[in-house]
Amino acid sequence: MTSHATAPRSLRTRLTDTTIRVFERTIPDPFVLAVFLTFLIAVGAAIWGPQATAANIVSGWYKGFFSIFTFALQITLVLVLGHALAHAPVIQRLFTRLIRLARTPAQAGALIFVSVAVTSFFNWGFGLVMSALLAREIAKRMHVDFAWIVAAGFSGWVVWAGGLSSSIVLAQSTAGSPMNVVEKVTGQVLGLGGMVFAPFNLVPNLVMVLVIPVVLAVLRPRGDSVIALDIAKHPDPILDSVPQGPWTFAQRLEYSWLGSALMGAVGVLVMVFAYLGQVPFAGVNAVILVMFTAGIVLHRYPLAYANAVKNAARQSGSMMLQYPLYGGLMGIMEATGLPGVIAHAFVAISNAHTLPFWSYVCSLVVTFLIPSGGGHWAVQGPFVIPAAVTLHASLPGTTMAVAMGEQVSNMLQPFWAAPVVAMAGVGVQRVLGFTFATFLVGAVVYGASLLLLL
């Protein structure tokens, strides 16, 4: 009886432990990986890049290193403001009520995966933040492997690039956008209905929502394999308390609800004028403003919000050096034309039906080199869209194929896992050991959809 009871666990444990061991031994810290990947790409560009010269490689790296600063600050603010928002008292109470719906670790894994998937479909920024913070709340209330529950949340992010806030989708549906490659090549502006709400995108998303919670439940560490959250090493931020006694003039301003109300009103006015079409309101900046407005209002007074942001900023240190390095890497790629070589190799073996699939496979590879959705599209889009026109392939399908490859490979890309693990306080290698399963399932599900439903 003992043998029968332990056999399934033994198989599961071997699979999980082997995957984690491989990632822990082969994937270094994300910053170290970015350093060596930079030199690897530089060498590859020097060998195969059609415009590769020493000057192009160096100048491309230099330009990319500094050109990503705006994006890096935006993403850091998404992380910091989302972290502060999630620690507002009302949001903490909401998390507590949501977590109570799960009575077992398997239910908790399914709950966080579905919650993040639904949220990320509408807004990738809040979904990314939610995956880490909800995982922390679950780990504080339930005996569960911390890296596993973080991975369950991050896995829910696998739908983001096919959602309504996808940088690739928004660019192709916005007339005059400098990133709208489809419009530049064909004069067409693609609609959301043909991309986000098409069956070839919605069906695989639904399959992932149904399948991944089961896969995560199978992979869940048990017994001695569980490594729980060490709250002593990664404590929660200290909540502010209103000082007692007579207040000074400065304290009356710091703890006044009026300051939060005034800034909240500004944010609401921007959204109102944006709704009326008088203020541009889209993309990352829109996410940041919504988080800022909600955060300062829900923290009730300005000083509480300022202190919440300070506590959150401590989690962003691991990102500050990584983003410029990835920007330099992207600069090398763009300056030397190396992604075009990769893309052309896939296009050469395609026809009208298979081009989206091979574009998807190409995207899976390119994402490891250029993890930013916008930067990725800027490199791959100019090659796959002309190919789609030449082969009379589906333009929405080819566009979404690139987005699908981006979101699936993100499950193994430290670039996006870094802010999640920074917020959660856990090693990225162990988390990727679990999301590897999400990558495998997603690679098959989305690839099959492009072949069968397009």
Side-chain angles (χ1 to χ4, degrees), residues 381-395:
F383 294 98
V384 296
I385 295 304
V389 172
T390 300
L391 296 173
H392 302 288
S394 168
L395 292 172

Side-chain angles (χ1 to χ4, degrees), residues 8-20 23 105-106 144-145 147-149 151-152 155 211-223 225-226 430-441:
R9 181 178 183 277
S10 177
L11 176 61
R12 178 177 57 247
T13 301
R14 286 201 306 270
L15 176 62
T16 304
D17 289 350
T18 299
T19 305
I20 293 173
F23 277 89
V144 64
D145 188 275
W148 175 80
I149 198 65
S155 292
V211 172
I212 293 300
V214 177
V215 173
L216 291 169
V218 171
L219 296 179
R220 179 174 65 86
R222 293 162 170 80
S225 299
V226 173
R430 185 171 173 82
V431 172
L432 295 182
F434 293 109
T435 58
F436 179 65
T438 308
F439 167 80
L440 291 178
V441 175

Side-chain angles (χ1 to χ4, degrees), residues 48-322:
W48 294 294
Q51 289 90 43
T53 64
N56 277 354
I57 293 174
V58 173
S59 64
W61 180 87
Y62 179 82
K63 179 181 178 181
F65 186 94
F66 290 101
S67 65
I68 204 173
F69 278 11
T70 298
F71 175 77
L73 178 58
Q74 287 174 323
I75 298 303
T76 301
L77 282 174
V78 168
L79 165 67
V80 170
L81 297 185
H83 192 287
L85 172 61
H87 283 91
V90 64
I91 300 297
Q92 290 289 297
R93 290 193 293 270
L94 179 62
F95 281 171
T96 300
R97 292 179 181 177
L98 182 62
I99 292 166
R100 287 174 183 168
L101 298 175
R103 300 185 181 279
T104 67
Q107 291 177 0
L111 175 67
I112 188 174
F113 174 83
V114 174
S115 299
V116 173
V118 171
T119 305
S120 299
F121 185 83
F122 291 96
N123 189 297
W124 67 264
F126 192 77
L128 187 67
V129 172
M130 183 179 180
S131 67
L133 300 184
L134 198 57
R136 271 186 72 89
E137 296 306 312
I138 292 173
K140 288 190 299 184
R141 293 166 172 80
M142 184 179 296
H143 183 67
V144 64
D145 188 275
F146 189 36
W148 175 80
I149 198 65
V150 171
F154 184 56
S155 292
W157 204 58
V158 74
V159 305
W160 81 271
L164 294 173
S165 65
S166 166
S167 54
I168 295 176
V169 168
L170 291 176
Q172 307 322 295
S173 61
T174 303
S177 169
M179 296 286 286
N180 195 336
V181 178
V182 173
E183 184 183 28
K184 291 178 180 179
V185 175
T186 68
Q188 301 179 42
V189 176
L190 301 181
L192 294 178
M195 294 185 291
V196 174
F197 297 110
F200 68 83
N201 184 54
L202 292 180
V203 171
N205 286 342
L206 179 60
V207 172
M208 293 294 285
V209 169
L210 295 175
V211 172
I212 293 300
V214 177
V215 173
L216 291 169
V218 171
L219 296 179
R220 179 174 65 86
R222 293 162 170 80
D224 295 338
S225 299
V226 173
I227 301 178
L229 170 65
D230 189 344
I231 197 67
K233 290 184 178 179
H234 305 286
D236 289 330
I238 299 174
L239 299 179
D240 277 335
S241 59
V242 179
Q244 301 299 317
W247 286 357
T248 64
F249 175 74
Q251 287 177 320
R252 290 183 182 277
L253 293 179
E254 292 170 343
Y255 295 99
S256 171
W257 60 269
L258 183 60
S260 293
L262 289 173
M263 290 309 305
V266 172
V268 171
L269 281 175
V270 171
M271 294 179 220
V272 169
F273 282 110
Y275 178 77
L276 297 175
Q278 299 180 24
V279 174
F281 190 73
V284 181
N285 290 339
V287 174
I288 292 172
L289 183 64
V290 169
M291 286 186 173
F292 172 79
T293 302
I296 196 168
V297 169
L298 294 180
H299 275 278
R300 296 176 295 179
Y301 51 90
L303 186 61
Y305 185 60
N307 288 334
V309 170
K310 290 177 185 177
N311 285 321
R314 298 173 184 172
Q315 309 294 337
S316 64
S318 63
M319 302 168 60
M320 300 306 292
L321 291 177
Q322 291 178 53

